[in-house]
Amino acid sequence: MTDLPAEHRLDSTLDLMGEGYLYIGNRCQTHASPIFRARILFENTLCLRGAEAAKLFYNTETCRRAGAAPMRLQKTLFGVGGVQGLDDEAHRHRKAMFMDLMSPEGIDALVNRVNTEWQRALTRWETMAEVHLFKECQFILCRAVCAWAGVPLPEADLERRTHQLAAMIDGAGAVGPRHWQARRSRDDAENWIGKLVEKVRRTPEDYEESREQSALIRFSLHRDEHGELLPIRVVAVEILNVLRPTLAVSRYMVFIAHALHCWPETRPDVDDDDAIHRFVQEVRRYYPFFPVAAARLRHDVEWQGYTLPGGTRLLLDLYGTNHDPDGWEAPETFDPERFRHREVDAWQLIPQGGGDHHVNHRCPGEWITIRLMEETIRRLDAMHWTVPEQDLAIDLSEIPALPDSGMILREVHPRHE
Ligand code: HEM
């Protein structure tokens, strides 16, 4: 590894935390290289960005996930024993359980629930002096996804459960109290879902008929590649792997309102589905969400003239690949039109991972995310809203990033009455 461009600090974790989404991109720029070596969390790590790096990272013969993600992320964001840490047949089998939820009808059912909840919320927003869009979208999504997944959610628990799911995302990259809050939220949420799984398993015959529609029932009765039911805690982790990231789409909903406000000239015609789709793709490319994904090399690999040693941890820069100047013209400009004549391949636009959804760890919720974002444009277009003075800056050193204000809207009411 002597030839690889390298950071010569004893440990670069503080730089990474200080620069956030820009850390890997900044170093790739300085080293004029898509790869460099650094010590992160006291371990030799290869940081990479760009489409060619994504192809290496998502090659399942070269890279594995077991033992790649730091334990502090598993204890907050992912949960222990979930699909994110599996490889090979165990991964493909578990992944199919998620992919089975993503039929066009299944996705429509979730989108319809979200639209109904949005409509309900709008009647309330009309009576409010200010609408905190981020918080409101979290409540909408929490109600809708719990109902969709077959998870009972009494109205009295809505606020508590929404905060728990949100805390797992918010505190994942943090240190100190926010991190510990995220851990407590995960423990509590896993206990909550675990009890529901036990109930389904006590009388599975009661649930056979509704099995098709509900992640709770499907996952509770799912059998692994050896024909065994999954441990209850693991089922809870996987059901939370549906609830938590769906709630996280609230961040993209805020980014859509932010982009419509900041670049009104790019606003798509709502009767033009292609224009709406281009806008959504550009929001997913431009705005920060997941900074990196982690894997480990299974064995020594020759790549771009370097020998990369087996066992080394890789960090693929998702944000940086979406902003890679070698892959995107004027990457720091928000321009949905860039997608008009551009094929989107599996390696260059990777806010939700790259490669193949069935084989790789690419996000199974990508279609849900895109559909919910497209609907958000239509819902926001059907509303009158103004944006009062507020701090709309997005600090790229903060992970996960969001406009400081959470996006406050005023004078909200339906446009076509
Ligand atoms: C807010 C929008 C979302 C973003 C930005 C996002 C992003 C991601 C990313 C970056 C990965 C990891 C890719 C990798 O490790 O290579 C991932 C994996 C995953 N996502 Fe999403 N996601 C979103 C929404 C969703 C939704 C709506 C669901 C489910 C309904 C979902 C479920 C999952 C699961 C289960 C995995 C693990 C897949 C595997 O390990 O094979 N995500 N997502």
Side-chain angles (χ1 to χ4, degrees):
M1 262 217 278
T2 44
D3 289 332
L4 270 168
E7 289 293 295
H8 293 295
R9 282 180 179 282
L10 211 51
D11 192 88
S12 295
T13 312
L14 286 179
D15 292 339
L16 172 66
M17 290 176 74
E19 290 169 48
Y21 291 92
L22 300 177
Y23 171 76
I24 295 180
N26 284 346
R27 298 297 177 295
C28 286
Q29 208 76 13
T30 323
H31 294 298
S33 164
I35 185 167
F36 65 90
R37 180 166 57 88
R39 273 183 81 76
I40 293 178
L41 290 172
F42 302 106
E43 192 184 325
N44 261 337
T45 302
L46 294 172
C47 301
L48 306 101
R49 83 160 173 193
E52 289 309 311
K55 286 180 196 164
L56 169 74
F57 184 89
Y58 285 104
N59 182 339
T60 51
E61 281 171 19
T62 313
C63 297
R64 61 176 159 86
R65 293 303 175 100
M71 193 41 95
R72 52 186 297 112
L73 275 192
Q74 294 184 44
K75 295 266 184 194
T76 51
L77 192 62
F78 306 142
V80 178
V83 62
Q84 290 93 340
L86 301 179
D87 290 299
D88 307 319
E89 185 50 23
H91 175 252
R92 277 191 292 278
H93 202 274
R94 185 83 63 84
K95 188 67 176 282
M97 179 178 87
F98 286 91
M99 299 304 285
D100 285 348
L101 294 177
M102 306 302 165
S103 66
E105 306 74 45
I107 295 176
D108 278 349
L110 176 61
V111 171
N112 289 341
R113 283 186 190 276
V114 172
N115 280 344
T116 307
E117 291 299 338
W118 185 292
Q119 221 37 49
R120 223 172 88 177
L122 179 55
T123 350
R124 206 165 31 81
W125 295 348
E126 279 185 83
T127 65
M128 291 161 64
E130 285 190 342
V131 172
H132 190 286
L133 190 65
F134 182 48
K135 282 190 195 148
E136 292 290 326
C137 288
Q138 287 184 323
F139 290 134
I140 288 176
L141 290 164
C142 190
R143 268 211 197 91
V145 73
C146 284
W148 182 68
V151 171
L153 181 64
E155 193 59 26
D157 292 348
L158 173 71
E159 207 162 312
R160 173 158 154 246
R161 296 304 179 195
T162 305
H163 288 152
Q164 266 173 4
L165 294 170
M168 289 179 214
I169 306 160
D170 188 52
V175 281
R178 259 172 65 213
H179 174 78
W180 290 103
Q181 174 64 38
R183 279 187 171 217
R184 276 194 301 275
S185 295
R186 169 159 287 284
D187 277 349
D188 201 12
E190 285 182 9
N191 287 337
W192 163 47
I193 303 290
K195 289 198 181 97
L196 298 173
V197 176
E198 280 172 9
K199 205 167 151 214
V200 173
R201 287 205 178 155
R202 269 199 297 275
T203 54
E205 59 286 359
D206 291 356
Y207 296 94
E208 261 319 309
E209 269 182 28
S210 40
R211 184 178 180 137
E212 276 310 297
Q213 301 117 46
S214 140
L216 173 65
I217 298 165
R218 276 177 184 240
F219 290 14
S220 298
L221 305 179
H222 173 86
R223 291 188 180 268
D224 69 12
E225 66 281 17
H226 309 295
E228 302 291 335
L229 290 170
L230 300 174
I232 287 178
R233 199 75 180 181
V234 172
V235 180
V237 163
E238 300 299 34
I239 291 170
L240 291 172
N241 264 334
V242 171
L243 306 186
R244 183 199 68 251
T246 305
L247 196 90
V249 177
S250 52
R251 293 175 176 269
Y252 273 147
M253 289 171 155
V254 166
F255 289 147
I256 283 176
H258 188 269
L260 289 170
H261 173 70
C262 294
W263 299 284
E265 68 287 359
T266 65
R267 201 180 189 111
D269 173 354
V270 286
D271 295 323
D272 183 344
D273 291 348
D274 292 341
I276 288 188
H277 187 70
R278 287 196 292 274
F279 193 90
V280 164
Q281 292 295 50
E282 182 64 348
V283 169
R284 292 190 333 122
R285 186 198 70 81
Y286 180 85
Y287 283 90
F289 209 122
F290 267 79
V292 294
R296 258 179 215 287
L297 285 170
R298 288 181 193 253
H299 45 75
D300 288 4
V301 172
E302 298 295 321
W303 190 72
Q304 305 219 343
Y306 301 117
T307 303
L308 315 180
T312 315
R313 183 171 57 196
L314 305 182
L315 287 186
L316 175 66
D317 187 355
L318 303 178
Y319 176 82
T321 301
N322 296 336
H323 287 253
D324 179 8
D326 289 339
W328 303 95
E329 214 183 301
E332 302 314 325
T333 305
F334 183 85
D335 177 19
E337 284 304 298
R338 70 173 76 244
F339 288 104
R340 190 183 276 279
H341 301 297
R342 185 185 173 119
E343 286 293 312
V344 175
D345 70 15
W347 315 110
Q348 195 76 70
L349 178 68
I350 54 168
Q352 294 177 250
D356 180 279
H357 293 90
H358 295 268
V359 178
N360 298 118
H361 285 266
R362 185 173 190 150
C363 177
E366 199 160 4
W367 301 283
I368 286 183
T369 307
I370 291 174
R371 281 288 306 282
L372 289 177
M373 290 173 75
E374 290 174 349
E375 281 304 308
T376 303
I377 296 177
R378 297 193 181 94
R379 298 277 80 77
L380 286 172
D381 185 73
M383 281 166 33
H384 172 275
W385 43 285
T386 60
V387 179
E389 194 70 27
Q390 62 192 287
D391 188 356
L392 289 174
I394 296 172
D395 179 356
L396 291 173
S397 68
E398 273 281 317
I399 299 176
L402 201 69
D404 253 12
S405 65
M407 199 81 206
I408 308 287
L409 308 184
R410 278 201 194 140
E411 301 173 85
V412 176
H413 55 80
R415 220 140 56 89
H416 316 289
E417 293 189 313

